[in-house]
Amino acid sequence: LVVAGGGAGGTRHGGGGGGGGVLLLPQANSTIPNGATYSVVIGAGGQSGQGGDDANAGSNSSFGPPSSAAAPTHLLALGGGKGGTYPGYGTGGNGGSGGGAQGEPGSPGGTGSQPNPSVYGTTTPYGNNGGTGGNWNPGDHRLGGGGGGAGGNGFDYNDATYEGGGGTGITIPGPSMTGTEIKVGGGGGGGGPSSGGATDNPAATAAGGAGVKVGNSPAPGNHGTASTGGGGGGGGQYPDSDGGSGGSGICVIRYQIGATDTSDARATGGAISFYGGKTIHTFTTSG
């Protein structure tokens, strides 16, 4: 499982950041030679723009041997797109699971474009588009669109169900990886004035996406949750309402110990724990 960093939300009734791209590799298609050295890169969440500056996309995550752009040989998950910012940066950015947009007339969300450069066999790439932001017109919501999530598009500013809500993330069942469920790739919610409608999508926030934010005084956007690739939330109406940062990504590698092995683990490093007959190595610091 490879999840990129989520995109940051835009400032000043900004769009939500897109969730980080997600790649899930079926275990039947993954063979790693003994003694091979594989690099694990965890993408950071995008940093929010401040004072009206443009927001930033999330960083890529990857797992595998060295590669080049011309000949990719590893799993590469793309960072989530940034949310749009008013004025000047209205359109949401493209990314792993799409970027949100906001109130420069009908600004569109970014495109969720998660390619599959793996040489290990078929993977399932997850990427969806961001929602559309509201127009800057009297009486309009002026709400940023939601960032796309790994499991669904971000919601438009005037959606009847989740106004400006982030796109749905995905759930990795416990038996597939670690023994417990992992929820990742939720899109960030949009931001707007206190008079505008805004509704969280619970399937986005449960997967690390930031909730919506409204307010006429400085109302900074919510942050995406660390280690989920969740998108950051757009800031409220006030010019100094900064967007929220995206959540960092995560990489989970599960491998089987041979029937003749007598040790509890065939790898070293990290905080080692045991659950459900599995040996778990958890790394939480840079290196």
Side-chain angles (χ1 to χ4, degrees), residues 10-195:
T11 65
R12 194 178 183 187
H13 36 264
V22 177
L23 291 174
L24 181 62
L25 177 69
Q27 65 183 51
N29 294 325
S30 54
T31 300
I32 299 175
N34 283 337
T37 298
Y38 281 50
S39 296
V40 179
V41 177
I42 306 299
Q47 295 300 301
S48 64
Q50 298 182 348
D53 291 339
D54 198 7
N56 295 291
S59 298
N60 300 340
S61 292
S62 63
F63 167 71
S67 69
S68 67
T73 59
H74 62 284
L75 291 168
L76 175 65
L78 299 181
K82 55 94 175 178
T85 287
Y86 176 85
Y89 305 103
T91 301
N94 300 333
S97 293
Q102 56 61 256
E104 294 197 337
S107 294
T111 300
S113 176
Q114 178 56 64
N116 175 18
S118 172
V119 298
Y120 302 120
T122 301
T123 66
T124 301
Y126 298 90
N128 293 280
N129 301 334
T132 297
N135 297 324
W136 184 252
N137 293 321
D140 208 336
H141 286 305
R142 308 177 194 174
L143 177 69
N153 293 336
F155 290 86
D156 296 338
Y157 76 100
N158 59 352
D159 186 88
T161 305
Y162 301 119
E163 294 175 279
T168 297
I170 62 169
T171 299
I172 309 300
S176 298
M177 295 297 295
T178 67
T180 58
E181 285 187 343
I182 305 174
K183 295 180 182 293
V184 295
S194 58
S195 59

Side-chain angles (χ1 to χ4, degrees), residues 251-280:
C251 184
V252 181
I253 303 100
R254 174 181 173 178
Y255 68 99
Q256 186 173 15
I257 298 174
T260 59
D261 292 340
T262 58
S263 63
D264 288 329
R266 303 298 288 180
T268 59
I272 299 177
S273 59
F274 304 92
Y275 181 88
K278 299 176 177 63
T279 303
I280 303 169

Side-chain angles (χ1 to χ4, degrees), residues 21 32 58 147 158 222 241 281:
I32 299 175
N158 59 352
N222 297 304
S241 294
H281 300 250

Side-chain angles (χ1 to χ4, degrees), residues 3-7 17-20 184-188 207-210 223-225 227-232 245-248:
V3 182
V184 295
H223 300 305
T225 303
S227 300
T228 68
S245 297
S248 55

